[in-house]
């Protein structure tokens, strides 16, 4: 059994930091100081094993630093004392980061200085937004919320770039940023570089220095994979989605998702729909809220959905031909669009309208049954009815929770 005195928690031992040149640090407000402070990963088990423990060290400190734009890396492993058969920390990390990382902090910081003015994002800019000047860095918001309205000052602009493997230099850049997938996404893993159908949306902060020079700082990214969709289109599956620690809970996740969705909707006639691979509960909430806000902002949709006299296409029961047309036009996957329609119905469903309540209950239960057919079909009828009712009530309460956050 390992000596617990020489066993370190790998999540606590590993510290990360996005390094900026001093001219860029000087541009930060006091409340933005956390952007250059050290932070810790959420997970390290893909690197150090399920137990997330490192054996053989006292006072172990692992520093993995990144140039905030180019993501060039510096690795330092320090300890107070070490036993003879200690785990090889650097050798383990070497398997997950590019081999050109720095061991000299002085050389690394010289690279940070040089990269600060020469690094430029890869790909094509598809989206940008700005925070409200009076609110910049003043508070932390839930990551699904929209940052404040745009303002005229262009000292800080957030930009999203669309890129794929064909872009020169991006493959090497991706090797630097992909480690955040392991550190922040449960069950995350590296993608296969030999598959050419991958596409990426990468989010940066563009900072304008006092001398007018622009610098770029990495915030997060999403990877998407294209599948054939009969007869002549592509189904894009959002596979990975990460915002790095210092930028979390500040609204950037919703903006990145919105950038991806609007790009697909407005600029990609080859894409039939956007799907999401095994979303976490947090990401599913983010997507639900973004999609709902989009629907609630469409006067045409709302007018047709609810009707002027309350007898619109949503019913219930909803007009399936009408909903399928809107689903295709909005390029939203089937199950997700059905859930959105159920939420939109619920927001206008009155507790004293028994006929519509019954129709709504049947509509939701039908979808639940279809989605869970294999499991439910094996149950006895009484048990199946009880399970459907229990699931329906749970789904309805969750819908109410989400609706309360967007209205």
């Amino acid at each position: 059994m390992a000596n617990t005195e020489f066993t370190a928690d790998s999540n606590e031992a590993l510290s990360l930091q996005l390094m900026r040149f001093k001219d860029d640090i000087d541009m930060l407000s006091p409340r933005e100081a956390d952007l250059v402070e050290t932070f810790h990963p959420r997970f390290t088990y893909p690197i150090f094993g399920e137990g997330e423990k490192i054996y053989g060290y006292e006072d172990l400190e692992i520093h993995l630093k990144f140039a905030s734009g180019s993501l060039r890396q510096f690795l330092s492993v320090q300890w107070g004392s070490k036993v003879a058969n200690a785990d090889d920390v650097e050798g383990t990390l070497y398997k997950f980061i590019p081999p050109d990382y720095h061991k000299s902090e002085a050389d690394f910081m010289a690279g940070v200085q040089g990269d600060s003015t020469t690094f430029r994002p890869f790909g094509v800019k598809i989206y940008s937004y700005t925070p409200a000047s009076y609110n910049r860095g003043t508070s932390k918001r839930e990551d699904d919320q929209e940052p404040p309205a745009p303002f005229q000052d262009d000292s800080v602009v957030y930009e999203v770039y669309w890129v794929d493997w064909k872009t020169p230099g991006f493959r090497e850049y991706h090797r630097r940023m992909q480690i955040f997938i392991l550190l922040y996404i449960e069950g995350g893993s590296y993608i296969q570089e030999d598959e050419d159908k991958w596409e990426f949306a990468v989010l940066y902060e563009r900072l304008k220095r006092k001398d007018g020079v622009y610098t770029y700082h990495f915030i997060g990214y999403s990877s998407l994979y294209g599948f054939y969709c009969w007869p002549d289109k592509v189904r894009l599956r959002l596979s990975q989605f990460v915002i790095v620690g210092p930028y979390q809970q500040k609204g950037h996740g919703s903006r990145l998702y919105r950038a991806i969705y609007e790009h697909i909707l407005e600029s990609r006639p080859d894409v039939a729909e956007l799907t999401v691979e095994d979303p976490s509960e947090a990401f599913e909430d983010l997507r639900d809220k973004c999609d709902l806000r989009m629907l609630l902002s469409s006067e045409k949709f709302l007018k047709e959905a609810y009707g002027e006299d309350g007898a619109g296409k949503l019913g219930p029961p909803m007009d399936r031909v009408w909903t399928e047309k809107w689903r295709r036009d909005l390029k939203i996957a089937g199950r997700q669009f059905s859930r959105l329609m159920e939420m939109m119905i619920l927001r206008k469903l009155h507790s004293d309208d028994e006929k519509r309540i019954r129709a709504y209950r049947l509509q939701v239960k039908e979808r639940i049954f279809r989605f869970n057919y294999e499991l439910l079909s094996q149950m006895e009828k009484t048990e199946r009815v009880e399970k459907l009712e229990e699931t329906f009530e749970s789904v309805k309460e969750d819908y109410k929770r989400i609706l309360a956050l967007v209205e």
Side-chain angles (χ1 to χ4, degrees):
M1 181 178 294
N3 186 339
T4 56
E5 292 183 2
F6 286 85
T7 301
D9 183 312
S10 53
N11 291 334
E12 296 178 1
L14 177 59
S15 63
L16 311 169
Q17 193 170 11
L18 299 171
M19 304 298 294
R20 302 190 185 204
F21 182 53
K22 62 180 180 62
D23 289 4
D24 295 319
I25 295 176
D26 290 343
M27 294 295 296
L28 299 176
S29 70
R31 291 182 180 273
E32 292 174 305
D34 62 335
L35 297 182
V36 291
E37 292 176 353
T38 59
F39 56 101
H40 294 277
R42 188 170 298 163
F43 310 106
T44 50
Y45 64 83
I47 300 172
F48 294 108
E50 290 296 327
E52 298 184 320
K53 300 294 182 183
I54 301 172
Y55 172 70
Y57 302 87
E58 275 190 331
D59 302 323
L60 177 64
E61 295 182 2
I62 310 166
H63 300 280
L64 182 58
K65 300 181 180 182
F66 304 79
S68 61
S70 70
L71 297 182
R72 73 164 65 226
Q73 297 169 9
F74 165 77
L75 176 62
S76 168
V77 183
Q78 302 173 349
W79 58 85
S81 58
K82 175 183 176 182
V83 301
N85 60 339
D87 293 338
D88 182 2
V89 175
E90 185 170 355
T92 299
L93 275 168
Y94 183 86
K95 302 172 186 176
F96 296 92
I97 60 177
D100 62 348
Y101 64 88
H102 290 269
K103 295 187 178 182
S104 163
E105 190 162 15
D107 290 346
F108 169 70
M109 290 308 299
V112 170
Q113 179 178 354
D115 292 348
S116 68
T117 55
T118 60
F119 173 76
R120 291 295 179 267
F122 297 90
V124 178
K125 184 171 70 174
I126 62 167
Y127 187 86
S128 64
Y129 59 97
T130 57
S133 57
Y134 62 85
N135 236 356
R136 181 174 165 224
T138 59
S139 63
K140 291 196 173 185
R141 300 180 298 276
E142 290 300 317
D143 200 44
D144 61 85
Q145 292 180 358
E146 300 283 348
F151 67 107
Q152 298 303 313
D153 179 11
D154 66 346
S155 61
V156 177
V157 178
Y158 302 105
E159 299 180 342
V160 179
Y161 287 76
W162 198 271
V163 61
D164 58 30
W165 293 138
K166 294 189 290 292
T167 304
F170 179 71
R171 194 179 297 267
E172 291 74 21
Y173 186 73
H174 178 265
R175 291 169 188 163
R176 292 180 174 182
M177 71 182 186
Q178 66 180 347
I179 193 169
F180 291 112
I181 297 298
L182 303 185
L183 301 178
Y184 280 97
I185 299 179
E186 187 167 11
S189 61
Y190 287 171
I191 64 176
Q192 298 296 317
E193 288 189 2
D194 58 355
E195 295 181 345
D196 61 3
K197 294 181 180 179
W198 286 105
E199 302 181 47
F200 305 86
V202 188
L203 173 60
Y204 299 90
E205 175 191 32
R206 192 195 75 183
L207 183 67
K208 184 179 180 180
R209 291 180 180 172
K210 294 176 181 178
D211 60 3
V213 172
Y214 290 109
T215 62
Y216 292 84
H217 310 274
F218 176 80
I219 294 176
Y221 79 101
S222 179
S223 62
L224 303 98
Y225 192 87
F227 292 89
Y228 170 72
C229 183
W230 188 89
D232 58 356
K233 292 188 180 293
V234 174
R235 178 179 292 108
L236 265 186
R237 183 180 70 188
L238 193 155
S239 177
Q240 300 168 322
F241 189 100
V242 63
I243 301 294
V244 295
Y247 289 97
Q248 292 180 2
Q249 305 299 314
K250 296 181 179 180
H252 296 295
S254 62
R255 286 293 195 169
L256 179 57
Y257 176 83
R258 178 174 169 181
I260 293 168
Y261 176 72
E262 289 188 3
H263 174 68
I264 290 171
L265 187 64
E266 299 170 3
S267 304
R268 293 292 298 272
D270 61 311
V271 176
E273 65 182 31
L274 174 66
T275 65
V276 178
E277 177 184 1
D278 300 328
S280 65
E281 289 184 8
F283 184 83
E284 195 163 68
D285 272 4
L286 183 149
R287 178 175 57 155
D288 286 346
K289 294 164 191 172
C290 288
D291 289 349
L292 280 171
R293 290 187 183 112
M294 179 270 297
L295 292 173
L296 291 168
S297 68
S298 171
E299 292 184 11
K300 184 174 187 286
F301 173 82
L302 293 176
K303 184 176 180 180
E304 293 180 9
Y306 296 125
E308 296 181 358
D309 58 355
K313 297 292 187 178
L314 278 181
M318 65 184 181
D319 184 321
R320 297 190 182 278
V321 174
W322 176 83
T323 53
E324 178 61 13
K325 180 183 182 304
W326 271 98
R327 187 196 72 79
R328 289 178 178 272
D329 289 346
L330 295 174
K331 300 184 180 182
I332 298 177
R335 176 176 178 268
Q336 173 66 0
F337 198 71
S338 293
R339 294 178 64 254
L340 292 170
M341 295 304 97
E342 290 166 6
M343 284 185 250
M344 294 297 289
I345 294 171
L346 184 60
R347 69 184 289 268
K348 292 286 189 178
L349 197 60
H350 298 295
S351 59
D352 58 351
D353 193 337
E354 295 184 4
K355 182 178 179 180
R356 297 186 70 200
I357 289 174
R358 183 175 184 278
Y360 177 72
R361 184 185 299 271
L362 291 174
Q363 177 178 309
V364 176
K365 285 185 176 181
E366 179 187 0
R367 179 188 62 79
I368 294 171
F369 181 77
R370 284 188 282 114
F371 187 72
N372 301 280
Y373 176 77
E374 289 189 10
L375 176 64
L376 292 171
S377 63
Q378 297 175 21
M379 298 179 180
E380 295 292 335
K381 183 177 179 180
T382 301
E383 182 184 6
R384 182 167 62 245
V385 170
E386 291 177 354
K387 189 63 178 178
L388 273 171
E389 179 63 22
E390 177 187 331
T391 305
F392 167 76
E393 291 296 335
S394 175
V395 166
K396 187 174 70 171
E397 289 306 308
D398 198 49
Y399 286 172
K400 290 179 179 179
R401 177 184 63 83
I402 296 168
L403 286 168
L405 294 172
V406 298
E407 298 195 273

